[in-house]
Amino acid sequence: YGLSPKGERALFSARGDIFTAPIEHGPTRNLTNSSNAHDKHPAWSPDGRRIAFVSDASGEEQIWLVPQDGSAPATQLTRDFAVMLYQPDWAADGKALAISDKDGKLHVVDVASGNATLVADEERGQLRDHTWSPCGMWLAFSLSDANGYRSLWLWSREKASLHRVTDELLHE
């Protein structure tokens, strides 16, 4: 669940569909109304106009987008994932989404093209602690080290490059 950027509507998934409900006045909207799919993990875009969510409507879990006002049907953004996906996370400018999967891979998806870039691969489990910088140009997360500690890493969206912030002797 989550509140819209202006706090006017609540967003949630229930019974395999994505809904928004007014905080005070207005209709509740079923944005997906999909009895043939399991829609989950909705997230508001920073401008509040779109909602990203995960759906298996295509046969595999992919990221989909839908206008928050229900003015158009949901459209499939990605096509190449073949594993269970977790909550998408919008960059501040609304041009990219970070998403991790059950195999410990972290991807950044370009919203304009739907192309996904593999950012990191956690070999010892899942990677679900990622967060965008306020400017949306850096993605922070931790990865396991051979000694069992975790190190902090940053990924630059502009350069598509990884930067280790802490070494393996510093436990976060």
Side-chain angles (χ1 to χ4, degrees), residues 127-161:
L127 196 164
R128 296 182 70 179
D129 64 351
H130 55 86
T131 189
W132 287 102
S133 65
C135 68
M137 296 310 293
W138 294 91
L139 187 62
F141 54 92
S142 66
L143 290 173
S144 296
D145 294 316
N147 64 5
Y149 290 174
R150 294 183 71 81
S151 292
L152 181 62
W153 291 77
L154 293 175
W155 181 78
S156 166
R157 200 168 110 203
E158 181 180 21
K159 296 180 181 178
S161 59

Side-chain angles (χ1 to χ4, degrees), residues 2-4 6-12 18-31 44 51 68-69:
L3 289 177
S4 64
K6 293 182 181 177
E8 298 166 342
R9 296 189 72 82
L11 173 67
F12 58 95
I18 306 298
F19 296 87
T20 67
I23 299 304
E24 291 191 69
H25 306 290
T28 297
R29 300 178 188 133
N30 183 339
L31 298 177
W44 289 99
I51 293 166
Q68 72 82 22
D69 61 4

